[in-house]
Amino acid sequence: MNLSVISNRTKGNAIVVGAGVAGLATALRLAHEGFSVTVLEQHKAPGGKLRSIASSEGPIDAGPTVLTMRSIFDELFRSVGEKLEDHLTLVRQKILARHWWPDGSKLDLFDDYETSQQEIYKFAGLVGFREFQTFFKRSRRLFEAFEEPMMHNITPSHFEAAKVVFKQPSLIKDLAPLQSLYSSLKRHFTDPRLAQLFGRYATYIGGSPYSSPALLSLIWQAEAKGVWTVRGGMHFLARTLKKLAESRGAHFYFNTMVHRLLVKDGKICGVQLFNGENLQADIVVFNGDPRALATGQLGPEFNQIATETKTDDRSLSARVWSFASKVQGLDLVHHNVFFANNPREEFDAIKAGRMPTDPTIYVCAQDRGQNESYPENERFEIILNAAPLTTAEPVEEEFEKCQTLTMKTLGQFGLKFNLTPSRNALTTPHHFAKLFPASEGALYGQSPHGLTAAFRRPQSKTSIEGLYLAGGGTHPGAGMPMATLSARHAVEAILKDQISTSQFPQTDTHGGISMA
C-alpha cells in the first residue's frame, strides 16, 4: 500500500487520525483552507460512532439516530461554500419522541412549544402544564446564556462562566448549583413521570440524572429546537462529508492503524503505522479518545496530554441492538422511549456495574419519520444504558441476559417483534472498547457528573506544537453537534497558530506525505 500522496500544498501537510464525524469535519475544513490532508482510519468505513450494520433490509444505524442543533451543520457546509440541503435530505420530526410508561400512560412531545404544552396539559393536568411552562423558560435561559461562552468558545473557563452569571444573577436560581438534575426536577415537577422524562436527557451525554448537575436541563432545549432524520440513514452524513473532503483533495485510507505519533524537537512531525511505515506531517489532528494519549498508547511523549481522562470517571456505555423485523402491538414513531418503573434502580445497578433488571429502553424505528411509507420488515436500533468497562460485570451470558431482558420488557408494554435479534445484532461495552481504543467502552468520554465537568474536558490545542484534538471526548463534549463543533475549534486553533508563527510559508513546503 502506497500512502505517499503528491499534492500542491499551500498551507501545510495535515494528518487526521480517525474518520469520526469530528475527523471528517476537520478534514473537510482543512482541505478547503488549502492544506494537504490525509485521513487514517482503523475501520473499514467513515463515521466512527456514526456507524451502521449491514442487513438484508439495508444498512441499519448503530449509533446516533437523529440530528439536532442543525445550525452547527449548516455552518459547516457554509464554511466550505456549500449548502447542506444540496447534499443531504433532512426530514424534520414533528413528534420529537413518543414516551411510554409501565402504567399504560403515553406522552408525545412536539417540535413546537404550544403543541407540547397542550399534550402535557392532557397528560398531567393544569399543574403539570404550568410546571412545564416554567421549566421550558428556565432551560431556555440556561441554553441561551451558556451556548456562546461555553459551547462556541474555543477555550471556555470558569471565569467566562462566572461573567455570564455576574451579568444575569437570576441564573443562579436556574443553575441550582447544589442540586443534581434529578433532585432539581423532582422539586419542580409534581408528576414524577415528567421528572423522569426530562432527567433522561443526562444520558444523552453519558450521565446519570442522579449525579449530573442541574445545569444539564439545558440539553432538552437542543432537542426542543428541532430534530431531523437523514434520508438514507445517519451514516449517509459521514459518507457525504468524506465525499466533500475528497473533492477538495483530501485522501482517505481505511483499515489503517496508527501505532504512535512522532515528535522531533518538541514538535509533531508525523505518525508511525502498525506496519512500521512513517508518514511525515506538519500537523496531526487526533480524532480518538484523548485517553489514548494520556495513557501512552500513542507514545510516552504524550502522557501529559489530557491527564484528566486517566482519573475522572468514564461516561455511560450502552448495549445496542441493530436488526430488522416485523413489529406489532404499538404505534411507533421514529423516537420511542419505554420508561422503567423504578428509574433509581436502573442507575444504581449501572453504577454498581450490573445490568439493570428494570431498564429504560430507547427504540428507534429507523424507517419511520421519513415522510414516506415504511416497509413491512423494518429496521430498528434499540439502546439500553450500560456501565463502562471500569465497573462492568463479566461478559458471560451477557447476550442471553440482554436479549431476554430487552424482549421481555418491551413485550410488557405490548411491543412484539416477529424476529429475535441474533448475537451479531448486539454491540456491548466490550465491543465498544475494542472499536474505540482507550475508551473503556465509554461512549461519551469523561463523565458529565459534577458542576465543573464541562471545564475538565481536553481542549483542541495541546502542549505539543502541531498536535490538536477533535471529537466527542474533547471540548465542547459528546454528541454529533458537539463533536462537529470541536472540529471547528481545532481548525480555528490551527489557523490561529499558523498566523502567529508563520510556520507554513508556501515556499517551505514541497509536496505531500512521504515515507521515512
Side-chain angles (χ1 to χ4, degrees), residues 34-54:
F35 289 83
S36 174
V37 180
T38 297
V39 183
L40 307 175
E41 169 57 53
Q42 66 172 335
H43 298 126
K44 64 181 180 180
K49 295 185 180 73
L50 193 66
R51 50 195 285 270
S52 63
I53 292 177

Side-chain angles (χ1 to χ4, degrees), residues 228-251:
W228 288 263
T229 58
V230 178
R231 186 72 55 79
M234 294 299 294
H235 55 276
F236 192 68
L237 170 62
R239 298 210 308 268
T240 299
L241 295 179
K242 172 180 175 288
K243 182 178 179 181
L244 286 173
E246 286 178 323
S247 71
R248 287 156 175 78
H251 297 269

Side-chain angles (χ1 to χ4, degrees), residues 19 21 30 80 87 121 131 166 185 223 238 241 272 283 309 330 369 456 471 476 488 508:
V21 66
L30 287 177
V80 297
H87 301 275
Y121 177 77
E131 291 170 342
F166 181 77
L185 292 169
E223 194 166 273
L241 295 179
Q272 183 180 79
I283 294 166
T309 62
L330 294 177
R456 293 182 60 80
R488 189 179 87 188
D508 290 342

Side-chain angles (χ1 to χ4, degrees), residues 258-297:
V258 172
H259 175 55
R260 61 180 299 168
L261 308 185
L262 302 177
V263 177
K264 183 178 181 180
D265 298 328
K267 300 179 182 179
I268 204 79
C269 62
V271 305
Q272 183 180 79
L273 304 182
F274 262 90
N275 65 6
E277 294 175 311
N278 288 349
L279 311 181
Q280 297 175 356
D282 309 301
I283 294 166
V284 171
V285 181
F286 183 67
N287 174 217
D289 195 309
R291 189 173 176 275
L293 295 169
T295 54
Q297 295 189 29

Side-chain angles (χ1 to χ4, degrees), residues 492-503:
E492 287 177 354
I494 291 169
L495 295 176
K496 182 178 179 181
D497 287 347
Q498 186 185 60
I499 291 171
S500 64
T501 62
S502 300
Q503 68 182 34

Side-chain angles (χ1 to χ4, degrees), residues 355-375:
M355 187 183 298
T357 58
D358 181 24
T360 289
I361 299 180
Y362 166 75
V363 176
C364 174
Q366 183 178 322
D367 295 303
R368 305 197 186 196
Q370 301 294 331
N371 292 345
E372 58 187 20
S373 60
Y374 50 87

Side-chain angles (χ1 to χ4, degrees), residues 80-209:
V80 297
E82 303 283 351
K83 292 182 179 179
L84 182 150
E85 55 269 26
D86 291 340
H87 301 275
L88 296 168
T89 300
L90 301 186
V91 182
R92 183 159 183 155
Q93 300 299 292
K94 184 66 177 174
I95 299 177
L96 299 178
R98 180 161 289 167
H99 307 86
W100 316 73
W101 281 267
D103 64 3
S105 55
K106 181 178 73 172
L107 172 64
D108 289 351
L109 289 180
F110 287 78
D111 68 341
D112 69 275
Y113 175 55
E114 296 299 328
T115 307
S116 287
Q117 279 190 116
Q118 295 169 13
E119 291 300 306
I120 287 179
Y121 177 77
K122 292 186 286 185
F123 177 79
L126 183 59
V127 172
F129 170 81
R130 289 174 174 169
E131 291 170 342
F132 173 71
Q133 287 181 317
T134 303
F135 171 76
F136 188 94
K137 293 173 183 176
R138 187 184 75 189
S139 59
R140 183 172 60 187
R141 284 195 298 269
L142 289 171
F143 189 94
E144 292 175 348
F146 290 103
E147 181 181 12
E148 285 298 325
M150 291 298 294
M151 300 181 211
H152 291 272
N153 188 342
I154 190 171
T155 55
S157 66
H158 292 84
F159 178 71
E160 292 294 331
K163 282 201 305 184
V164 173
V165 177
F166 181 77
K167 292 178 181 178
Q168 303 179 61
S170 61
L171 286 174
I172 295 176
K173 184 178 179 181
D174 297 333
L175 280 166
L178 301 180
Q179 298 178 40
S180 69
L181 176 60
Y182 184 78
S183 62
S184 172
L185 292 169
K186 187 178 180 181
R187 290 165 65 94
H188 181 79
F189 285 110
T190 304
D191 191 321
R193 296 172 299 178
L194 293 178
Q196 184 181 16
L197 188 160
F198 291 108
R200 179 181 70 89
Y201 285 91
T203 66
Y204 277 33
I205 58 173
S208 160

